[in-house]
Amino acid sequence: MSTDAIVLLREDHKEIRKLFREFQGAGENARKKKEKTVKKILEALTVHTYIENECLYPATRELLPDLSDDVLESYEEHHVADVLCTELAAMSADDERFAAKTTVLIENVLHHIEEEEQGWFPKVREGLGRKKLQEIGAEMIEMKKTAPRSPAQPGALKKAADAVLA
């Protein structure tokens, strides 16, 4: 298993996209399946944004100050996703806005993933190099073990507040 931070994040992105497709393919009346899938989406996004916000983004800002604006934009995109995740965590699939809110979350996250993978990751890889990305990746693997799993957990709420106040 690679410890390269970008490889790890791309693997997360792949899993998140798979969950998005599962939600979108569930069918209009598959409320229970959609609710279960959204719970998985919320957990995956909470862990993923936590390790990016707490590990990769601060390291990138420190080591590659020219990418600071990109990092700030990513924090803001995470904040939008965090708000949607927190709202979805408090809803049931029976709520008339559940599917619409999930769709907006999916659209926002896919946009963020695209920006990261196409524009930002190549710059980070070039600027940090293999050794540093492996060090950051090893740290991310450790952080994942204790990362919040729900948007309502204190660590996730701190992450959301820090993103806004940073």
Side-chain angles (χ1 to χ4, degrees):
M1 176 170 135
S2 175
T3 61
D4 181 294
I6 291 174
V7 171
L8 295 170
L9 293 174
R10 283 181 181 271
E11 288 171 4
D12 283 357
H13 289 170
K14 187 175 169 183
E15 177 61 25
I16 290 165
R17 282 188 187 104
K18 180 177 164 251
L19 291 169
F20 289 168
R21 286 190 303 274
E22 190 177 311
F23 176 85
Q24 292 167 325
E28 211 169 302
N29 296 318
R31 285 192 168 98
K32 289 295 176 203
K33 181 172 176 54
K34 284 184 173 184
E35 195 168 316
K36 249 175 123 168
T37 303
V38 167
K39 282 185 183 356
K40 291 178 191 174
I41 289 169
L42 297 180
E43 180 175 345
L45 288 175
T46 300
V47 171
H48 180 79
T49 60
Y50 179 83
I51 64 170
E52 280 188 329
N53 285 356
E54 297 294 322
C55 192
L56 181 65
Y57 291 173
T60 301
R61 279 187 89 182
E62 178 186 333
L63 300 170
L64 302 172
D66 289 352
L67 296 182
S68 194
D69 286 346
D70 292 323
V71 173
L72 291 174
E73 182 180 336
S74 290
Y75 276 131
E76 293 305 319
E77 289 174 347
H78 281 189
H79 171 65
V80 170
D82 290 341
V83 169
L84 292 167
C85 287
T86 301
E87 291 174 355
L88 278 166
M91 298 172 88
S92 86
D94 294 326
D95 189 299
E96 73 175 352
R97 295 171 61 199
F98 183 83
K101 194 173 293 286
T102 303
T103 298
V104 170
L105 174 66
I106 290 169
E107 290 168 352
N108 275 278
V109 171
L110 288 175
H111 167 80
H112 175 73
I113 288 172
E114 185 72 20
E115 278 189 348
E116 277 190 340
E117 290 187 352
Q118 301 307 312
W120 198 67
F121 284 173
K123 294 177 194 173
V124 172
R125 178 165 302 291
E126 182 181 325
L128 295 182
R130 177 183 293 161
K131 186 176 182 336
K132 190 64 182 171
L133 285 170
Q134 288 175 336
E135 290 171 15
I136 293 169
E139 188 178 338
M140 287 171 28
I141 289 169
E142 286 305 307
M143 288 181 87
K144 264 190 173 188
K145 295 175 184 174
T146 58
R149 300 276 187 265
S150 159
Q153 282 182 263
L157 295 173
K158 178 190 176 305
K159 167 185 67 80
D162 287 349
V164 176
L165 302 173

